[in-house]
């Protein structure tokens, strides 16, 4: 029990060794020294809490938030010392915020528990005691032999022992793990593949030794030792032998596998990693403002305490006749008394820190994120995919982006490859009607028959059709099951019943091209691959596959030809193949590769090597030794691969076209007009990348292209950077574009970061080619941490973009053809690059202005709330008497003023979505966190103080000395408070405050919906109804009845109503005047767009329906139209809502077409709402 507790606390990890030993079917050694290793059970736990730890763990997490912890301290202070306000005033709002958050998090965790129980309770079949036993998934132990049937998912990470196929292979899909839908082939070792029955498996004596669990899905190092007739046979195990939990069995009736990693140690569970928490610029500003307000609070509390003691220096105020001190109070320590008074003032003013700000911001972000998923403009019909939000914490960051880092393949392009050209033995060919035609010749074959290719041409096509990892699927998926001939479908094959599946679109395009030309890959059966070369079947034995990796950038196969010879075919990037070639038309092929790249084609180079029998024996020995090594297997394999892939004979090169996505050029141009710089980071060679950059508008034809390529030393790189910097200064009029490759980038980042960044920032567009995934992330980090701290966005579609996506402030995944790793690790996911413009220019703009106003309005209304409390102390000898009743203190932020700002922050639109998208320059108005600058914050804070002074002194001047203007004209009895006593005065101030702060938000609102009207006027009405109800009844559970009949008496006074109206107008009228003058004298681009006058363009007047442009004069009255021009608003009127198809824009305004949106219910050309 103690060991278990230590393991749970992390003090006693269950594994101590670097490897684990798994005894198949749990046949442990019989000798007495053996101590079994302890492994995790097969339960998956994705929940955070249990019944026992929910309350303490959740409270601990919530009180790590500085605002919650602060209010907890205030609440405890109120409990411990005699404070002017009830502990309920702090305790109830705190309890409300904590409870709402706990319920939300508890419900989400309950859903996780429910999902876990479904997975852990799923039925599985396990071989135990010589029979097949059904049990629950959670009961699988490491070493158990598990049977999985067709179309079932693997319940744990299994080492494949056997399948119903004679060769012991099976096909799986890993769509739920990495999004790749292609069939992958996995293998069992020959010694276990014959064990296809339960009795044979029960008799199997085998031990699996492998590495301890790690998260990498594509890495597994192990070996299996099978004991047969007293002899131990050792075989290597790699990723191709491991069936991962969550993958699905396809095209195979059943398999048996031994559980190697279970439960939370399976690779799928280890990939449930928590992504590093990204914080938005608004959140950072919010925390800064909180600290400033905390300083204001401490200043007010210290000042009040000092003034209290200064006042009490006079004897008559220190101990007046009506408030004699007790003996204990006279003898108490002055220091303790000072601290007690300071804490009491701290409690009195503590509401200047808005406790409900956090919960309101969370609700705004969570509810607001649904708009992205609902937007029909971000929905892609062809793939039936809508935009998705993986984290709502960064919504407003979409409105602050300054740099976009984008991948090329699959992000700017379609990732749909089409074979275009090839170079064979120094001659260029192109495909015409299914035939290879040399350059300069036409397809003049009279009978349309395919010419027979011989020699190098045939060898090249054979290499392309055999050097790959393509799988074939047939209409009848069981055709390969059992003992049927896997090649039987090759006769008379057609695309109708044979389809290629590949993890790489390039491979699929090349294999389909060779099939059209006449050399068709027709399938593989175990280690035999068959091709049909112009109708003649040829079988090759697959001896070894040298898998592709990002460092080598090539993949190879070693085959035994039908004649018995051994040959290596390899293909990869030209920089990974050409240096290792010794024969063939190397220079001509290099020129052809460059030509292909200039046309924007993706290039691959193909080569081969023939082995003598002695060479092959050496190669086979090296590969087997490397693959069976348990230590440093990757390094040994790399050494073996380097030894094998040399002395190559160059066969040729291929050129494959990847089409640009729709509207990429318009999107990049819109981002540029919005002040966003676009960097393209790609792994392609620089000619291909430059060609695509020019075609997609990233580089302009008039742009001066600067190059930092093939730098070999630090000094050379630094000199080139200085030359580029000088050229930029000399030609400062022209726009510059920079091209840099991966090798030069490494040198530039090593010693010359500042110089490199200076060059980059002065370029309009930057293209980085030949980039490794970690280099992409390093570039993003470099810019992110530069002195200006710009907001960065990374967008990509493949696993190689994940590090870049996680590094950037905002990461966006494209739902493309390269798997779902990018989408799973992103903050937002969209189906096409063109959707990025609307995501940033419209949604980003809306989210930012909404939350910026929300944060500042919260601080404003709390300054208005607590400053009269501070001013009141000057009139009550700093006796810590509260101005407001405890119930009003508690409900101000929770009920009276919370809903209008929440609705505003969900629906506000300063400008119509069409205009935002069609005038990208408006994005610049909100860049660099301009709406949350210190100047704006200071304005809202000073406005709050001004309004608070007007509330307090306005009420005091208008009503302070007046006790005769009661509704009934009477003075109240002495045993009751005077009409204008403490609570009446406080209630008047509070009433004026609630009305003013609500109407202030109404003035800020540009876009009115029925919900805005409901919560704005409803909040004011609710306050009046509540106050009448609260003060009109004697509540038996309240120990004091201070407010009884106060509100009714107040409203019965005509002078009170007069004071309310005068004070509200006094507060808000200067604000209206300021808005009008600023709008007419110094309008921003946004304000100009709000009120486009009729002669310039038809004004958007139907803001409620968001769907149409009005032509000509508004239907509003002349007075209403004047107000509309002054404030930039328009009263919604469905009757006047007609669209115009001839909407005019000035020549300087850029226009981009829009699709359709839930925000813009019809296109611009609509005829009617």
């Amino acid at each position: 029990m103690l060991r278990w507790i230590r393991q749970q606390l992390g003090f006693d990890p269950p594994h101590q060794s670097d490897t684990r030993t798994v005894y198949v079917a749990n046949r442990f050694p019989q000798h007495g020294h053996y101590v079994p290793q302890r492994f995790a059970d097969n339960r998956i736990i994705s929940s955070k809490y249990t019944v026992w730890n929910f309350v303490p763990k959740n409270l601990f997490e919530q009180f790590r938030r500085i605002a919650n912890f602060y209010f907890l301290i205030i609440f405890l202070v109120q409990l411990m010392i005699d404070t002017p306000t009830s502990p309920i005033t702090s305790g109830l709002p705190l309890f409300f915020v904590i409870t709402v958050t706990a319920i939300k998090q508890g419900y989400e965790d309950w859903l996780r528990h429910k999902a876990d129980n479904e997975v852990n309770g799923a039925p599985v079949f396990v071989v135990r005691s010589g029979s097949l036993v059904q049990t629950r998934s959670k009961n699988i132990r490491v070493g158990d032999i598990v049977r999985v049937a067709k179309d079932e998912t693997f319940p744990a990470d299994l080492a494949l022992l056997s399948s119903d196929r004679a060769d012991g292979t099976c096909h799986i899909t890993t769509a739920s793990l990495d999004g790749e839908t292609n069939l992958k082939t996995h293998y069992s070792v020959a010694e276990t593949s014959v064990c296809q029955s339960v009795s044979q498996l029960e008799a199997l004596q085998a031990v699996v030794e492998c590495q301890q669990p790690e998260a990498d899905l594509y890495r597994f190092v192990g070996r299996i030792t099978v004991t047969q007739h007293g002899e131990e046979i050792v075989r290597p195990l790699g990723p191709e032998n491991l069936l991962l939990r969550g993958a699905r069995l396809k095209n195979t009736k059943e398999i048996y596998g031994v559980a190697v990693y279970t439960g939370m140690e399976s690779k799928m569970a280890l990939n449930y990693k928590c992504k590093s928490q990204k914080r938005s610029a608004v959140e950072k500003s919010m925390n800064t403002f909180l600290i400033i307000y905390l300083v204001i609070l401490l200043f007010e509390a210290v000042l009040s305490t000092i003034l209290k003691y200064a006042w009490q220096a006079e004897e008559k105020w220190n101990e007046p006749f009506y408030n004699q001190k007790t003996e204990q109070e006279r003898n108490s320590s002055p220091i303790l008394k000072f601290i007690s008074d300071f804490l009491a003032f701290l409690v009195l003013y503590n509401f200047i820190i808005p406790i409900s700000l956090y919960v309101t911001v969370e609700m705004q972000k969570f509810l607001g994120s649904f708009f992205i998923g609902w937007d029909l403009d971000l929905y892609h019909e062809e793939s039936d995919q809508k935009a998705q939000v993986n984290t709502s914490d960064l919504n407003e960051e979409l409105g602050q982006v300054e740099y976009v880092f984008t991948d090329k393949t699959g992000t700017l392009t379609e990732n749909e490859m089409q074979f275009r050209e090839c170079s064979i033995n120094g001659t260029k060919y192109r495909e015409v009607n299914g035939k290879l035609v040399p350059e300069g010749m036409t397809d003049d074959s009279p009978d349309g028959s395919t010419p027979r290719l011989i020699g190098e041409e045939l060898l090249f096509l054979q290499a392309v059709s055999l050097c790959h990892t393509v799988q074939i699927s047939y209409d009848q998926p069981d055709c390969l099951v059992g003992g049927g001939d896997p090649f039987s479908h090759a006769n008379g094959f057609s695309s109708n019943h044979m389809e290629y599946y590949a993890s790489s679109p390039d491979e699929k395009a090349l294999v389909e091209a060779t099939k059209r030309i006449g050399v068709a890959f027709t399938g593989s059966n175990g280690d035999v691959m068959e091709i049909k070369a112009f109708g003649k079947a040829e079988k090759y034995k697959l001896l070894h596959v040298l898998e592709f990796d990002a460092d080598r950038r090539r993949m190879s196969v070693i085959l035994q030809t039908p004649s018995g010879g051994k040959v290596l075919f390899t293909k990869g990037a030209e920089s990974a193949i050409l240096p290792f070639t010794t024969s063939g038309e190397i220079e001509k092929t290099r020129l052809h590769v460059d030509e292909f790249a200039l046309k924007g084609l993706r290039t691959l180079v193909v080569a081969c090597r023939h082995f003598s029998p002695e060479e092959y024996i050496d190669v086979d020995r090296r590969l087997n030794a490397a693959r069976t090594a348990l230590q440093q297997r990757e390094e040994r394999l790399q050494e073996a691969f380097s030894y094998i892939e040399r002395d190559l004979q160059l066969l040729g090169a291929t050129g494959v076209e990847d089409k640009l996505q729709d509207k990429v050029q318009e999107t990049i141009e819109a981002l540029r007009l919005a002040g966003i710089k676009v960097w393209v980071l790609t792994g392609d060679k620089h000619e291909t990348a430059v060609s695509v950059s020019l075609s997609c508008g990233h580089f302009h034809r008039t742009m001066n292209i600067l190059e930092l390529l093939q730098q070999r030393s630090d000094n050379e790189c630094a000199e080139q950077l200085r030359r580029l910097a000088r050229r930029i200064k000399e030609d400062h009029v022209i726009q510059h574009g920079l091209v840099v490759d991966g090798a030069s980038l490494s040198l530039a980042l090593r010693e010359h970061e500042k110089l490199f960044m200076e060059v980059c920032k002065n370029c309009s567009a930057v293209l980085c080619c030949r980039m490794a995934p970690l280099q992409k992330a390093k570039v993003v980090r470099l810019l992110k941490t530069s002195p200006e701290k710009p907001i960065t966005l990374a967008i990509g579609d493949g696993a190689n973009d994940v590090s870049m996506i996680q590094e950037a402030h905002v990461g966006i995944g494209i739902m493309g053809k390269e798997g779902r790793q990018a989408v799973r690790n992103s903050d937002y996911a969209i189906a096409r690059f063109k959707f990025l413009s609307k995501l940033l220019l419209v949604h980003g703009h809306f989210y930012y202005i909404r939350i910026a106003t929300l944060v500042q309005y919260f601080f404003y209304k709390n300054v208005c709330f607590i400053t009269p409390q501070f001013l009141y102390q000057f009139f009550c000898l700093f006796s810590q008497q509260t101005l407001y009743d405890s119930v009003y203190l508690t409900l101000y932020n929770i009920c009276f003023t919370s809903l209008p700002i929440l609705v505003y922050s969900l629906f506000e639109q300063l400008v119509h979505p069409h205009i935002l998208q069609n005038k990208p320059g408006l994005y610049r108005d909100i860049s660099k966190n301009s709406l949350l600058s210190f100047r704006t914050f200071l304005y809202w804070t000073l406005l709050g103080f001004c309004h608070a002074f007007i509330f307090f002194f306005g009420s005091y001047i208008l009503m302070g000395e007046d006790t005769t203007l009661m509704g009934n004209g009477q003075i109240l009895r002495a045993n009751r408070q005077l009409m204008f006593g403490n609570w009446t005065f406080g209630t008047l101030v509070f009433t004026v405050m609630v009305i003013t702060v609500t109407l202030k938000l109404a003035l800020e609102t540009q876009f009115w919906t029925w919900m805005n009207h409901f919560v704005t006027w409803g909040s004011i009405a609710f306050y009046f109804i509540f106050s009448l109800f609260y003060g009109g009844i004697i509540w038996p559970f309240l120990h004091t009845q201070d407010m009884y009949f106060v509100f009714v008496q107040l409203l019965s006074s005509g002078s009170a109503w007069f004071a309310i109206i005068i004070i509200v107008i006094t507060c808000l009228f200067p604000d209206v005047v300021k808005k009008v003058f600023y709008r007419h004298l110094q309008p921003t681009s946004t304000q100009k767009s709000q009120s486009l006058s009729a002669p310039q363009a038809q004004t958007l007047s139907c803001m409620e329906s968001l769907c149409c442009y009005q032509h000509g004069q508004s239907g509003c009255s002349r007075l209403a139209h004047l107000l509309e021009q002054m404030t930039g608003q328009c009263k919604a009127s469905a009757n006047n809502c007609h669209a115009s198809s001839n909407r005019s824009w000035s020549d300087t305004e850029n226009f981009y077409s829009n699709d359709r949106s839930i925000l813009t219910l019809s296109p611009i050309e609509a005829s009617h709402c």
Side-chain angles (χ1 to χ4, degrees), residues 886-915:
S886 293
V887 172
Y888 285 161
L889 278 172
T890 306
L891 297 183
Y892 176 74
N893 275 321
I894 294 177
C895 295
F896 299 145
T897 59
S898 59
L899 279 180
I901 185 60
L902 178 62
V903 172
Y904 171 94
S905 66
L906 289 174
F907 299 114
E908 175 63 354
Q909 297 179 14
L910 282 185
V911 184
H912 192 281
H914 274 327
I915 295 182

Side-chain angles (χ1 to χ4, degrees), residues 285-357:
S285 300
M286 201 162 78
N287 291 338
T288 307
F289 298 160
L290 272 174
I291 291 167
I292 293 170
Y293 270 66
L294 197 60
V295 170
I296 293 172
L297 167 67
L298 292 171
F299 171 75
E300 288 184 349
V302 169
L303 181 65
S304 298
T305 312
I306 292 169
L307 288 174
K308 177 180 181 177
Y309 282 94
W311 208 290
Q312 288 180 355
E314 291 185 47
E315 189 63 33
K316 65 174 181 176
W317 297 126
N318 185 34
E319 199 174 347
F321 70 91
Y322 55 82
N323 190 17
Q324 296 289 314
K325 291 182 180 177
T326 62
E327 197 63 35
Q328 185 182 356
E329 286 175 333
R330 288 195 186 99
N331 297 330
S332 64
S333 163
I335 295 172
L336 287 177
K337 191 75 178 73
F338 185 91
I339 292 171
S340 175
D341 282 327
F342 169 73
L343 290 174
F345 280 117
L346 205 63
V347 167
L348 193 65
Y349 305 145
N350 81 84
F351 284 94
I352 199 170
I353 307 292
I355 186 173
S356 54
L357 173 60

